[in-house]
């Protein structure tokens, strides 16, 4: 390569500071997202166990559709970064419109399935009629949230891929307080509003996500309104462009969906442990997810920049310099994650003073495993996102899917159901899964093929 960009100087290559500028808004947005779920549960909990169970059941059904939308939007984030790197407006428009088309199709199909079978599903899964009725009421209103998310998640991913990660964060800063305020008023009937119970929580969520989408649409028109006037499609026609986007996105979506499903299966296996052990697993898993957001968003930000650099056709040396800096800083980001894990494990008496002594002891037994876990997990995440950025999505999918279904799930079943191992050994399987993936990811990355990927070729 002889172009000016492919022979860029050291100062021309982004460093860890660039990753940080993208990662911190994404991290806060993800924490907002997780926190909203916790707050909704807390607000509804005042109505009693029946209402809380109804919301949990409805959210589990509706959350599956939302999860699929989120999985495909993550692929759009990478595709947009590739397009932004090429500075090709046709590619950029094609990525956005294709992503929106697929996401809206998923949302509409999901809503059709909910209204076709949702009432029967809630009736079959609910422990009694009262829970089933409230769950169906919540779920039918939550369909509006799903439709709005099919647009909102896509726009957020588009802005992330363009490097404007603060805009999705601002949309959450606007929508979350409105969601909470509207939910409180409508759940309890304050200020003359009707007391709608769980239906009020669903309406509050719909109002919040509606404002979020409106804000993102205004920002899209402000920053990229010119794309409406761009003619043509990156793959020649709209149909071929959407098909190419789908083929790129599907392995990424399958990875996310498989991971979510495998986690749920493992939780069902954990039910067979002692009450104290299952309680400890139930308490620690959300902390692992929330704390891990720091490292995962750093890895995603790294992938966004790699995709942009590949779109710019940077040299292999430039890519190596950037990835080395991002990798070193990535290990630093793993330190606070590890420390959060340690604090949670060693402070059960302060955080959960009503827990039995046995449950507290089990939480403390997780300390060593959860201190080590963030480091290989961070390295694997950077590898996976870098390979995805280069278009090597099918390989990444295979590494994740087979490590989950050939190792993690069967090993968990054997550890709990057959060998009856201690909770600490069961928890260690999270670490062992990362170690299983480690050589497959790092060999592929060190091979270096990803550095010569032409991300714009063929769309």
């Amino acid at each position: 390569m002889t172009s000016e960009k492919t022979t860029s100087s050291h100062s021309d290559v982004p460093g860890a500071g660039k990753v940080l500028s993208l990662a911190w808004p994404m991290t806060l947005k993800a924490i907002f997202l997780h926190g909203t779920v916790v707050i909704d549960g807390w607000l509804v909990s005042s109505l009693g166990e029946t209402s809380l169970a109804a919301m949990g059941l409805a959210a589990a059904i509706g959350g599956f559709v939302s999860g699929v939308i989120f999985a495909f939007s993550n692929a759009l984030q990478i595709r947009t970064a590739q397009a932004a790197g090429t500075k090709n407006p046709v590619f950029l428009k094609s990525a956005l419109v294709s992503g929106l088309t697929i996401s809206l199709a998923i949302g509409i199909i999901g809503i059709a399935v909910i209204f076709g079978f949702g009432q029967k599903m809630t009736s079959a899964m609910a422990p009694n009629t009262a829970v089933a009725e409230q769950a169906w009421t919540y779920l039918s209103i939550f369909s509006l949230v799903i439709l709005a998310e099919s647009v909102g998640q896509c726009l957020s991913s588009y802005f992330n891929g363009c490097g404007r990660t603060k805009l999705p964060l601002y949309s959450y800063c606007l929508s979350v307080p409105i969601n909470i305020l509207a939910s409180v008023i409508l759940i309890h009937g304050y200020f003359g509003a009707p007391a709608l119970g769980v239906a009020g929580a669903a309406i509050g969520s719909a109002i919040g996500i509606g404002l979020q989408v409106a804000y993102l649409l205004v920002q899209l028109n402000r920053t990229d309104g010119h794309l409406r006037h761009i003619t043509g499609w990156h793959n020649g026609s709209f149909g071929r462009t959407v098909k190419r986007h789908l083929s790129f996105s599907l392995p990424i979506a399958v990875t996310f969906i498989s991971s979510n499903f495998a986690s749920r299966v493992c939780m069902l296996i954990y039910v067979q442990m002692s009450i104290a052990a299952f309680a400890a697993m139930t308490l620690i898993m959300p902390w692992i997810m929330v704390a891990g957001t720091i490292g995962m968003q750093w890895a995603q930000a790294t992938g966004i920049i790699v995709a942009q650099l590949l779109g710019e056709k940077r040299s292999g040396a430039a890519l190596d310099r950037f990835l080395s800096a991002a990798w070193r800083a990535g290990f630093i980001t793993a330190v606070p994650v590890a420390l959060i894990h340690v604090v949670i494990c060693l402070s059960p008496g302060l955080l959960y003073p009503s827990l039995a002594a046995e449950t507290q002891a089990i939480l403390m037994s997780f300390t060593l495993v959860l201190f080590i876990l963030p480091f290989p997990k961070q390295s694997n995440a950077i590898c996976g996102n870098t390979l995805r950025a280069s278009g090597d999505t099918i390989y990444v999918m295979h590494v994740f899917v087979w490590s989950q279904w050939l190792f993690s799930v069967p090993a968990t079943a054997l550890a709990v159901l057959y060998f009856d191992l201690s909770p600490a050994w069961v928890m260690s399987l999270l670490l062992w899964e990362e170690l299983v993936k480690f050589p497959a990811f790092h060999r592929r990355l060190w091979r270096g093929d990803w550095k010569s990927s032409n991300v714009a070729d063929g769309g």
Side-chain angles (χ1 to χ4, degrees):
M1 298 183 183
T2 58
S3 68
E4 183 179 349
K5 283 188 176 181
T6 58
T7 57
S8 53
S9 65
H10 285 271
S11 61
D12 195 22
V13 178
K18 177 64 173 178
V19 184
L20 178 62
S21 69
L22 296 185
W24 74 261
M26 294 168 64
T27 302
L28 289 181
K29 190 204 85 169
I31 291 173
F32 263 125
L33 181 61
H34 295 314
T36 302
V37 176
V38 174
I39 291 170
D40 282 349
W42 179 72
L43 293 174
V44 172
S45 66
S46 62
L47 300 175
E49 286 77 5
T50 297
S51 297
L52 191 59
M55 193 194 82
L57 174 58
I61 297 172
F64 179 79
V65 182
S66 298
V68 176
I69 291 171
F70 178 82
F72 276 93
S73 70
N74 188 271
L76 172 62
Q77 182 171 283
I78 299 172
R79 201 69 174 139
T80 301
Q82 294 175 341
T86 65
K87 296 179 174 57
N88 181 346
V90 176
F91 191 0
L92 199 59
K93 181 197 77 169
S94 298
L96 174 60
V97 175
S98 297
L100 279 171
T101 300
I102 293 169
S103 188
L104 278 169
I106 294 168
I108 292 169
I109 292 170
I111 291 172
V113 171
I114 285 173
F115 278 95
F117 305 98
Q119 194 165 12
K120 293 179 181 178
M121 291 173 64
T122 54
S123 297
M125 298 170 67
N128 56 55
T129 304
V131 171
E133 290 176 352
Q134 290 191 47
W136 171 240
T137 300
Y138 184 96
L139 185 59
S140 58
I141 300 170
F142 192 77
S143 298
L144 295 174
V145 177
I146 292 172
L147 187 62
E149 278 187 339
S150 65
V151 177
Q153 287 292 345
C154 270
L155 296 181
S156 293
S157 294
Y158 173 80
F159 286 129
N160 285 343
C162 290
R164 298 192 287 269
T165 58
K166 291 181 182 178
L167 292 178
L169 172 62
Y170 295 156
S171 74
Y172 272 85
C173 291
L174 170 68
S175 67
V176 170
I178 299 299
N179 179 1
I180 294 172
L181 181 62
S183 295
V184 169
I185 292 172
L186 294 172
I187 288 171
H188 300 287
Y190 295 142
F191 306 109
L196 300 175
V198 293
I203 294 172
S205 297
I207 292 171
I209 188 70
L211 286 173
Q212 180 184 337
V213 171
Y215 172 83
L216 292 172
L217 285 171
V218 169
Q219 294 303 319
L220 179 67
N221 183 64
R222 181 181 66 83
T223 60
D224 295 283
H226 64 280
L227 292 179
R228 293 195 304 269
H229 307 295
I230 300 298
T231 59
W233 299 98
H234 194 49
N235 291 91
S237 69
F238 175 70
R240 285 197 296 270
T241 299
V242 172
K243 183 178 179 181
R244 177 67 184 91
H245 188 95
L246 181 62
S247 67
F248 175 86
S249 304
L250 195 57
I252 299 175
V254 168
T255 302
F256 277 82
I257 294 167
S258 172
S259 179
N260 186 28
F261 189 50
S263 297
R264 293 179 185 272
V265 170
C266 287
M267 284 302 295
L268 291 175
I269 296 172
Y270 297 154
V271 174
Q272 305 303 313
M273 302 169 72
S274 69
I275 294 176
F278 180 62
M281 300 293 282
T282 303
L283 287 172
I284 199 64
M285 286 302 178
W287 284 108
I288 295 173
M289 179 179 65
V290 173
T293 298
I294 299 171
M296 292 306 100
Q297 298 308 315
W298 184 274
Q300 286 196 21
T302 299
I304 288 171
I305 296 175
V306 168
Q308 292 173 347
L309 294 176
L310 287 170
E312 294 172 9
K313 298 185 182 299
R314 295 295 190 100
S315 68
L319 290 164
D320 283 338
R321 286 197 299 273
F322 164 72
L323 196 58
S324 295
W327 215 321
R328 288 192 298 270
F331 275 97
I332 296 174
T333 66
V335 173
V337 178
L339 293 178
I340 291 171
H341 289 169
V342 169
V343 169
I344 300 303
C345 290
L346 295 182
S347 308
L350 294 175
L351 294 171
Y352 308 104
S354 61
L355 285 181
E358 182 184 0
T359 306
Q360 294 188 28
I362 292 171
L363 282 170
M364 295 179 71
S365 73
F366 297 155
T367 304
L368 179 60
V369 169
L370 295 185
F371 176 76
I372 300 172
L373 176 65
F375 297 97
K377 189 173 183 178
Q378 180 70 72
S379 191
N380 283 338
I382 291 176
C383 287
N385 280 277
T386 299
L387 293 172
R388 283 185 186 132
S390 72
D392 201 1
T393 58
I394 294 177
Y395 181 83
V396 175
M397 177 191 71
H398 280 300
V399 174
F400 273 103
V401 170
W402 298 123
S403 65
Q404 290 157 2
W405 295 103
L406 291 184
F407 173 76
S408 186
V409 173
T412 301
L414 287 172
V416 173
L417 304 177
Y418 185 76
F419 293 109
D420 192 23
L421 296 181
S422 70
W425 278 107
V426 175
M427 178 60 67
S428 74
L429 293 175
L430 296 180
L431 175 59
W432 283 109
E433 181 186 341
E434 296 301 328
L435 297 178
V436 166
K437 292 185 291 191
F438 199 89
F441 272 139
H442 289 73
R443 276 203 306 266
R444 189 77 161 194
L445 195 74
W446 288 335
R447 200 170 72 179
D449 296 353
W450 62 275
K451 288 180 281 189
S452 59
S453 175
N454 186 356
V455 297
D457 187 27

